Structures are given as structure tokens and as C-alpha cells.
């Protein structure tokens, strides 16, 4: 008989939802329901050795009061409609869209970086925002450097996989002839920046609680299925040698340091839980600067895993289990 928290995975048929189900099954949760749009109702999704039948994610279904936790990966407009109902029904809601990330009063959480902020959600409507898939690994790596030497400026160039744009984009890449593979900047433009670039800046500032931190990003989609990589140039207030930074990152939770001749790649990060970081070196163009390279699985630590870790933090506090 099912005994754990009653969990709704909303967007269960998508790229992130599929991985969410895999992770929940691996962790032994036995009271899970799958929700998606009306298009998917009745389809079956693997859940461990069993199957879940997809239900329609309606305000009534999610607001019925029979869920302790809802993990949302449905996109911003659907989240804006559905999350308030699940919250009103009493569920803890972890939302992976941009709907709540930058709204004052809603915690934006990477458990290793600012996990305590998540608890604030229990005092109000139990809604926590999960950051962008590039912001999560970036802050995991920047936080220990900031604590040691104070961040004064960050430049970042991203190499983001097709899965970051969802299941359909993965399918398109799988079916595309190799000769068609190319780089893309397939986000919306906000003047001369993409919204992905401005999100990376605003979310990093919010999570690190450095509202004025200069952050400049160039985001690029690459023809890789899973795993985002980032080249990062961090300027610090105090000198920090590459050796000291390496030691700090060895100690950082959820981070694994690779030393040359190894370096982080999306392929090595995919399927794993850690943020891989390497190429830690002096930035030759800056007095107190470090350059490094990171890679992580955007569907796991960049989305599904981070959300589950936030949820586990809150469930343990609320002791609904
Ligand atoms: N992919 C990533 O690496 C990543 C990382 C961090 C955050 N996110 C965020 O997570 C969300 C989902 O991303 P994804 O990559 O998993 O997208 P996806 O593969 O396109 O999946 C979208 C999911 O949302 C469902 N859906 C769409 N509209 C809906 C509606 N009106 N009502 C109920 N369900 C609806 C879809 O159901 P049907 O199958 O029935 O259409 C599907 O299950 C987005 O907000 C994205 O920004 C993604």
C-alpha cells in the first residue's frame, strides 16, 4: 500500500517530467501521479517496474487537496494557471518555469547554495521556484568562491543542449542530418540580449543575494542532446589562486572537480547528479580573475533533481510523510 507523500508530477510527459519520474522511482516514492495536458490523458508512463496513467492537469484536479507535493514542469503560462490551485489545495509546489523565479517573496532555490530560503515558502503559499538550468550549476560553483574571496564580476558563455528546449527539440535533433547541425540562439530577444542571458544574470543575483553583481552572458544552443556546459570568468575582490579555488570546489557539495587532462563535457555530466568543474586557471585578462569550465545534466541537477532536493528539504520540515 502507498505510504509516502502524495506527489503530483505535472508535465510528466515532457523532457523534465520524464526524468522527474525516473528520479522519484529510484528514490522509492510510492504515491505518485502523472499529469500533463489533455493531449496526453490516458497514456502510460513507466514508473519503476510499474506504469502511471496520465491524468489531465486541470485547476480542479490539482486543487482537490489530495496532493502533498506538486512538481511542475509545464512552461510559464500553464504554471501561472495551475500552480495557484495546487497551492490553494495545500500542496508544496516546486515550479520549474520562469513564472515565479524573479517575483519578490518567492524563494528561488539551489539547496546547496541558499537552501534555507526554501523554508520561507512554508510560512506563506508553499510555492518555491526552481532556477534556470544554467543558473543552478553556475551558482553551485560561484558560491564557494564568493564566500572565500567576494565576487565582483562574472562573465559566462554557455553551450546548451537541445533537451533544454524540451522533448520535441530533442526529437528534432535526433532526426536532423548531421550536415544540418548548427549553433543557435533560439530564445526571445530583449533588445540586444536574449531572455536566457538576462535570466542568468537576474537569477544569479537573486540566489547569491548580490543584487548589483555585474553578470554578462552569451547563451548558445549546441547540437548535443543532454548536458549544458559553461565557460565562466569570475573576478574576485580578494586574490584567490587556482589552487585555492580548486580546493574550495573539491569541498563544495554536488560539485566534482576534474583535473587536466580531464575536463567537463556534457557527455560525462549526462545521467549524473554532479556539476563537473575543471580548467580552473588564472584569467590572463583580469588581475583577480579565475577562468573555469563546467558541465551538468540540465534535466537532472538543472531541473528535476534540484526540484526534488528542494521538495525533500521542505517535506522533512513539514513532516507530511
Ligand atoms: N528542459 C530543461 O532542461 C529545463 C530545465 C529547467 C527548467 N525547465 C522548464 O521546465 C518546463 C518544461 O520543460 P520541458 O523541457 O520538460 O518541456 P517539454 O518537454 O516540452 O514538456 C512540457 C510538458 O508540459 C506539459 N504541458 C504543456 N502545456 C500544458 C498545459 N497547458 N497543461 C498541462 N500540461 C501542459 C506537456 O504535456 P503534453 O505532453 O500533454 O503536451 C509536457 O508534459 C519549462 O518551463 C522549462 O522552462 C526545463
Amino acid at each position: 500500500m502507498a505510504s509516502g507523500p502524495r506527489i503530483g508530477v505535472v508535465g510528466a510527459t515532457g523532457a523534465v517530467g520524464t526524468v522527474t519520474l525516473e528520479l522519484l522511482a529510484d528514490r522509492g516514492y510510492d504515491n505518485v501521479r502523472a499529469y500533463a495536458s489533455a493531449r496526453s490523458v490516458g497514456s502510460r508512463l513507466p514508473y519503476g517496474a510499474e506504469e502511471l496513467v496520465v491524468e489531465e492537469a486541470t485547476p480542479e484536479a490539482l486543487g482537490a487537496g489530495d496532493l502533498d507535493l506538486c512538481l511542475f514542469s509545464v512552461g510559464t503560462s500553464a504554471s501561472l494557471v495551475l500552480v495557484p490551485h495546487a497551492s490553494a489545495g495545500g500542496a508544496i509546489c516546486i515550479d520549474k518555469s520562469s513564472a515565479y523565479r524573479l517575483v519578490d517573496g518567492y524563494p528561488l532555490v539551489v539547496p546547496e547554495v541558499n537552501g534555507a530560503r526554501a523554508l520561507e515558502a512554508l510560512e506563506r503559499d508553499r510555492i518555491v521556484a526552481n532556477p534556470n538550468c544554467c543558473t543552478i550549476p553556475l551558482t553551485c560553483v560561484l558560491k564557494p568562491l564568493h564566500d572565500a574571496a567576494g565576487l565582483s564580476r562574472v562573465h559566462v558563455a554557455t553551450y546548451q543542449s537541445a533537451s533544454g528546449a524540451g522533448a520535441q527539440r530533442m526529437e528534432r535533433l535526433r532526426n536532423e542530418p548531421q550536415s544540418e547541425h548548427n549553433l543557435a540562439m533560439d530564445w526571445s530577444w530583449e533588445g540586444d540580449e536574449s531572455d536566457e542571458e538576462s535570466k542568468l544574470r537576474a537569477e544569479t543575483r537573486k540566489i547569491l543575494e548580490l543584487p548589483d553583481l555585474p553578470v554578462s552572458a552569451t547563451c548558445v544552443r549546441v547540437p548535443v542532446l543532454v548536458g549544458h556546459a559553461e565557460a565562466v570568468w569570475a573576478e574576485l575582490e580578494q586574490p584567490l589562486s587556482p589552487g585555492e579555488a580548486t580546493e574550495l570546489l573539491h569541498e563544495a557539495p554536488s560539485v566534482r572537480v576534474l583535473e587536466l587532462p580531464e575536463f567537463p563535457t556534457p557527455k560525462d555530466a549526462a545521467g549524473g547528479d554532479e556539476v563537473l568543474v575543471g580548467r580552473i586557471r588564472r584569467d590572463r585578462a583580469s588581475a583577480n580573475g579565475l577562468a573555469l569550465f563546467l558541465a551538468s545534466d540540465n534535466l537532472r541537477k538543472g531541473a528535476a533533481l534540484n526540484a526534488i532536493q528542494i521538495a525533500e528539504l521542505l517535506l522533512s520540515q513539514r513532516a507530511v510523510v
Side-chain angles (χ1 to χ4, degrees), residues 11 13-16 36-37 39-40 73-75 78 96-97 163-164 166-167 298-299 302-303:
T13 51
V16 176
S37 78
R39 290 179 288 275
S40 305
S73 51
V74 289
K96 282 163 250 171
S97 78
S163 58
N298 52 293
L299 299 176

Side-chain angles (χ1 to χ4, degrees), residues 7-78:
I7 302 175
V9 176
V10 190
T13 51
V16 176
T18 309
V19 172
T20 304
L21 290 179
E22 265 173 45
L23 293 174
L24 290 172
D26 286 350
R27 287 158 122 85
Y29 289 101
D30 62 355
N31 202 342
V32 176
R33 292 163 74 173
Y35 297 89
S37 78
R39 290 179 288 275
S40 305
V41 170
S43 57
R44 291 172 177 275
L45 298 173
Y47 189 77
E50 294 170 22
E51 279 187 338
L52 300 178
V53 179
V54 176
E55 302 172 55
E56 185 177 356
T58 61
E60 298 72 33
L62 301 181
D66 52 7
L67 294 167
D68 300 307
L69 166 68
C70 275
L71 298 165
F72 284 89
S73 51
V74 289
T76 300
S77 52

